[in-house]
Coordinates of all heavy atoms in Angstrom, one line a residue:
M110 N 68.1 14.5 143.0 CA 68.6 15.6 143.8 C 69.8 16.3 143.2 O 69.9 17.5 143.1 CB 68.9 15.1 145.2 CG 69.2 16.1 146.2 SD 67.7 17.0 146.6 CE 68.2 17.9 148.0
L111 N 70.7 15.4 142.8 CA 71.9 16.0 142.2 C 71.6 16.7 140.8 O 72.2 17.8 140.6 CB 72.9 14.8 141.9 CG 74.3 15.2 141.3 CD1 75.0 16.2 142.2 CD2 75.1 14.0 141.0
I112 N 70.7 16.2 140.1 CA 70.3 16.8 138.8 C 69.7 18.2 139.1 O 70.0 19.1 138.4 CB 69.3 15.9 138.0 CG1 70.1 14.6 137.6 CG2 68.8 16.6 136.8 CD1 69.2 13.6 137.0
C113 N 68.9 18.3 140.1 CA 68.2 19.6 140.5 C 69.3 20.6 140.9 O 69.3 21.7 140.5 CB 67.3 19.4 141.6 SG 65.8 18.5 141.1
A114 N 70.3 20.1 141.6 CA 71.4 21.0 142.1 C 72.2 21.5 140.9 O 72.5 22.7 140.8 CB 72.3 20.3 143.1
V115 N 72.4 20.6 139.9 CA 73.2 21.0 138.7 C 72.4 22.0 137.9 O 72.9 23.0 137.4 CB 73.6 19.7 137.9 CG1 74.1 20.1 136.5 CG2 74.6 18.9 138.6
L116 N 71.1 21.7 137.7 CA 70.3 22.7 136.9 C 70.2 24.0 137.6 O 70.2 25.1 136.9 CB 68.9 22.0 136.7 CG 68.9 20.8 135.7 CD1 67.5 20.3 135.7 CD2 69.4 21.2 134.4
I117 N 70.0 24.0 138.9 CA 69.9 25.3 139.6 C 71.2 26.1 139.5 O 71.2 27.3 139.2 CB 69.6 25.1 141.1 CG1 68.1 24.6 141.2 CG2 69.8 26.3 141.9 CD1 67.7 24.2 142.6
S118 N 72.4 25.4 139.6 CA 73.7 26.1 139.5 C 73.9 26.6 138.1 O 74.4 27.7 137.9 CB 74.8 25.3 140.0 OG 75.0 24.1 139.1
L119 N 73.5 25.8 137.1 CA 73.6 26.2 135.7 C 72.7 27.4 135.4 O 73.1 28.4 134.8 CB 73.2 25.1 134.8 CG 73.3 25.3 133.3 CD1 74.7 25.6 132.9 CD2 72.7 24.1 132.5
G120 N 71.5 27.4 135.9 CA 70.6 28.5 135.8 C 71.1 29.8 136.4 O 71.0 30.9 135.9
A121 N 71.7 29.6 137.6 CA 72.3 30.8 138.3 C 73.4 31.4 137.6 O 73.6 32.6 137.4 CB 72.7 30.4 139.7
G122 N 74.3 30.5 137.0 CA 75.4 30.9 136.2 C 75.0 31.7 135.0 O 75.6 32.7 134.6
V123 N 73.9 31.2 134.3 CA 73.4 31.9 133.1 C 72.9 33.2 133.5 O 73.1 34.2 132.8 CB 72.3 31.0 132.4 CG1 71.6 31.8 131.4 CG2 73.0 29.8 131.8
L124 N 72.2 33.3 134.6 CA 71.6 34.6 135.0 C 72.7 35.6 135.4 O 72.7 36.8 135.0 CB 70.7 34.5 136.2 CG 69.3 33.8 135.9 CD1 68.5 33.6 137.2 CD2 68.6 34.7 134.9
V125 N 73.8 35.1 136.0 CA 74.9 36.0 136.4 C 75.6 36.5 135.1 O 75.9 37.7 134.9 CB 75.9 35.3 137.3 CG1 77.2 36.0 137.4 CG2 75.3 35.1 138.7
A126 N 75.8 35.6 134.1 CA 76.5 35.9 132.9 C 75.6 36.9 132.1 O 76.1 37.9 131.5 CB 76.7 34.7 132.0
Y127 N 74.3 36.7 132.1 CA 73.4 37.7 131.4 C 73.5 39.1 132.1 O 73.5 40.1 131.4 CB 71.9 37.2 131.5 CG 70.9 38.1 130.9 CD1 70.8 38.2 129.6 CD2 70.1 38.9 131.8 CE1 69.9 39.1 129.0 CE2 69.2 39.8 131.2 CZ 69.1 39.9 129.9 OH 68.2 40.7 129.3
G128 N 73.5 39.1 133.4 CA 73.7 40.4 134.1 C 75.0 41.1 133.8 O 75.0 42.3 133.5
I129 N 76.1 40.3 133.7 CA 77.4 40.9 133.4 C 77.3 41.5 131.9 O 77.8 42.6 131.7 CB 78.5 39.9 133.6 CG1 78.7 39.6 135.0 CG2 79.8 40.3 132.9 CD1 79.6 38.4 135.3
C130 N 76.8 40.7 131.0 CA 76.7 41.1 129.6 C 75.9 42.4 129.5 O 76.3 43.3 128.7 CB 76.2 40.0 128.7 SG 77.4 38.7 128.5
T131 N 74.7 42.4 130.1 CA 73.9 43.6 130.1 C 74.6 44.8 130.6 O 74.5 45.9 130.0 CB 72.6 43.3 130.9 OG1 71.9 42.2 130.3 CG2 71.6 44.5 130.8
G132 N 75.3 44.6 131.7 CA 76.0 45.8 132.3 C 77.2 46.2 131.4 O 77.4 47.4 131.2
M133 N 77.9 45.3 130.8 CA 79.0 45.7 129.9 C 78.5 46.4 128.6 O 79.1 47.3 128.2 CB 79.8 44.4 129.5 CG 80.6 43.8 130.6 SD 81.8 45.0 131.4 CE 83.0 45.1 130.1
F134 N 77.3 45.9 128.1 CA 76.8 46.6 126.9 C 76.3 48.0 127.3 O 76.4 48.9 126.5 CB 75.6 45.8 126.3 CG 76.1 44.7 125.4 CD1 75.8 43.4 125.7 CD2 76.8 45.0 124.3 CE1 76.3 42.4 124.8 CE2 77.3 44.0 123.4 CZ 77.0 42.7 123.7
G135 N 75.8 48.2 128.5 CA 75.4 49.5 129.0 C 76.6 50.4 129.1 O 76.5 51.6 128.7
I136 N 77.7 49.9 129.6 CA 78.9 50.7 129.7 C 79.4 51.0 128.3 O 79.8 52.2 128.0 CB 80.0 50.0 130.5 CG1 79.5 49.9 132.0 CG2 81.3 50.6 130.4 CD1 80.4 49.0 132.8
F137 N 79.4 50.1 127.4 CA 79.8 50.3 126.0 C 78.9 51.4 125.3 O 79.4 52.3 124.6 CB 79.8 49.0 125.2 CG 80.2 49.2 123.8 CD1 81.5 49.5 123.4 CD2 79.2 49.1 122.8 CE1 81.8 49.7 122.1 CE2 79.6 49.3 121.4 CZ 80.9 49.6 121.1
R138 N 77.6 51.3 125.6 CA 76.7 52.3 125.0 C 77.0 53.7 125.5 O 77.1 54.7 124.7 CB 75.3 51.9 125.3 CG 74.3 52.8 124.6 CD 72.8 52.4 124.9 NE 72.6 50.9 124.8 CZ 72.2 50.1 125.8 NH1 72.0 50.6 127.0 NH2 72.0 48.9 125.5
M139 N 77.3 53.8 126.8 CA 77.6 55.1 127.4 C 78.9 55.6 126.8 O 79.0 56.8 126.5 CB 77.7 54.9 128.9 CG 77.9 56.2 129.6 SD 78.1 56.1 131.4 CE 78.0 54.4 131.8
H140 N 79.9 54.8 126.6 CA 81.2 55.2 126.1 C 81.0 55.6 124.6 O 81.6 56.6 124.2 CB 82.2 54.0 126.2 CG 83.5 54.3 125.5 ND1 84.4 55.2 126.0 CD2 84.0 53.8 124.4 CE1 85.4 55.3 125.2 NE2 85.3 54.4 124.2
A141 N 80.2 54.9 123.8 CA 80.0 55.3 122.4 C 79.4 56.6 122.3 O 79.7 57.4 121.5 CB 79.2 54.2 121.8
R142 N 78.4 56.9 123.2 CA 77.7 58.2 123.2 C 78.7 59.3 123.6 O 78.7 60.4 123.0 CB 76.6 58.2 124.2 CG 75.4 57.4 123.7 CD 74.2 57.5 124.6 NE 73.1 56.7 124.1 CZ 72.1 56.2 124.9 NH1 72.1 56.6 126.2 NH2 71.2 55.5 124.4
Q143 N 79.6 59.1 124.5 CA 80.6 60.1 124.9 C 81.6 60.4 123.7 O 81.9 61.5 123.5 CB 81.4 59.6 126.1 CG 80.6 59.7 127.4 CD 81.5 59.2 128.6 OE1 82.4 58.5 128.4 NE2 81.1 59.6 129.8
V144 N 82.0 59.3 123.1 CA 82.9 59.5 121.9 C 82.2 60.3 120.8 O 82.8 61.2 120.2 CB 83.4 58.1 121.4 CG1 84.2 58.3 120.1 CG2 84.3 57.5 122.5
A145 N 81.0 59.9 120.6 CA 80.2 60.6 119.5 C 80.0 62.1 119.9 O 80.1 63.0 119.0 CB 78.9 60.0 119.3
A146 N 79.7 62.4 121.2 CA 79.6 63.8 121.6 C 80.9 64.6 121.5 O 80.9 65.7 121.1 CB 79.0 63.8 123.0
E147 N 82.0 63.9 121.8 CA 83.3 64.6 121.7 C 83.6 64.9 120.3 O 84.1 66.0 119.9 CB 84.4 63.8 122.4 CG 84.3 63.7 123.9 CD 85.3 62.8 124.5 OE1 86.2 62.2 123.7 OE2 85.3 62.6 125.7
K148 N 83.3 63.9 119.4 CA 83.6 64.1 118.0 C 82.7 65.2 117.4 O 83.2 66.0 116.6 CB 83.3 62.8 117.2 CG 83.7 62.9 115.8 CD 83.9 61.5 115.2 CE 84.1 61.6 113.7 NZ 85.5 62.0 113.4
M149 N 81.4 65.3 117.8 CA 80.6 66.4 117.4 C 81.1 67.7 117.9 O 81.0 68.7 117.1 CB 79.1 66.1 117.8 CG 78.2 66.0 116.7 SD 76.6 65.3 117.2 CE 75.8 66.7 117.9
A150 N 81.5 67.8 119.1 CA 82.0 69.0 119.6 C 83.3 69.5 118.9 O 83.5 70.6 118.6 CB 82.4 68.8 121.1
E151 N 84.2 68.5 118.5 CA 85.4 68.9 117.7 C 85.0 69.4 116.4 O 85.6 70.3 115.9 CB 86.2 67.6 117.6 CG 87.0 67.2 118.8 CD 87.8 65.9 118.6 OE1 87.8 65.4 117.5 OE2 88.4 65.5 119.6
D152 N 84.0 68.8 115.7 CA 83.5 69.2 114.4 C 82.9 70.6 114.5 O 83.0 71.4 113.5 CB 82.5 68.2 113.8 CG 83.1 66.9 113.5 OD1 84.4 66.9 113.4 OD2 82.4 65.9 113.3
M153 N 82.3 71.0 115.6 CA 81.7 72.3 115.8 C 82.8 73.3 116.0 O 82.7 74.4 115.5 CB 80.7 72.3 117.0 CG 79.5 71.4 116.8 SD 78.4 72.2 115.6 CE 77.0 72.2 116.6
V154 N 83.8 73.0 116.7 CA 84.9 73.9 117.0 C 85.8 74.1 115.8 O 86.3 75.3 115.6 CB 85.7 73.4 118.2 CG1 87.0 74.3 118.5 CG2 84.9 73.4 119.5
T155 N 86.1 73.2 115.0 CA 87.0 73.2 113.9 C 86.7 74.4 112.9 O 87.6 75.1 112.6 CB 87.1 71.9 113.2 OG1 87.5 70.9 114.1 CG2 88.2 71.9 112.1
P156 N 85.5 74.6 112.4 CA 85.2 75.7 111.5 C 85.5 77.0 112.1 O 86.0 77.9 111.4 CB 83.7 75.5 111.2 CG 83.4 74.1 111.4 CD 84.3 73.7 112.6
A157 N 85.2 77.2 113.4 CA 85.5 78.5 114.0 C 87.0 78.8 114.1 O 87.4 79.9 113.9 CB 84.9 78.5 115.5
Q158 N 87.8 77.7 114.3 CA 89.2 77.9 114.3 C 89.8 78.2 113.0 O 90.7 79.0 112.8 CB 89.9 76.7 114.9 CG 89.7 76.4 116.4 CD 90.2 75.1 116.9 OE1 90.6 74.3 116.1 NE2 90.3 75.0 118.2
V159 N 89.2 77.7 111.9 CA 89.6 77.9 110.6 C 89.3 79.4 110.2 O 90.2 80.0 109.6 CB 88.9 77.0 109.6 CG1 89.2 77.4 108.1 CG2 89.3 75.5 109.8
L160 N 88.2 79.9 110.6 CA 87.9 81.3 110.3 C 88.8 82.3 111.0 O 89.2 83.3 110.5 CB 86.4 81.6 110.7 CG 85.3 81.0 109.9 CD1 84.0 81.2 110.5 CD2 85.4 81.4 108.5
K161 N 89.2 81.9 112.3 CA 90.2 82.8 113.0 C 91.6 82.7 112.4 O 92.3 83.7 112.4 CB 90.3 82.4 114.4 CG 89.0 82.7 115.2 CD 89.2 82.3 116.7 CE 88.0 82.6 117.5 NZ 88.1 82.1 118.9
G162 N 92.0 81.5 111.9 CA 93.3 81.3 111.4 C 93.5 81.9 110.0 O 94.3 82.5 109.5

């Protein structure tokens, strides 16, 4: 009985950790896309500013 309880709690902990990691990687992916979009927008704006200057 005790072994079953330990295995169930271990399995639950692994599933919770997997969910947290998946969520954090999703947040990191979203952040990386935002940074890339901002960098691309800066690169698009910079040549126009050089022509005006």
Side-chain angles (χ1 to χ4, degrees):
M110 187 74 167
L111 181 62
I112 294 173
C113 290
V115 168
L116 290 176
I117 289 171
S118 66
L119 181 63
V123 167
L124 287 176
V125 168
Y127 177 75
I129 290 171
C130 287
T131 303
M133 291 300 290
F134 278 119
I136 291 170
F137 178 71
R138 187 181 309 119
M139 185 180 1
H140 174 68
R142 286 180 183 164
Q143 285 178 340
V144 170
E147 288 175 6
K148 185 163 176 74
M149 240 165 81
E151 286 176 5
D152 290 345
M153 295 285 236
V154 171
T155 303
Q158 290 175 346
V159 170
L160 289 175
K161 288 181 183 178

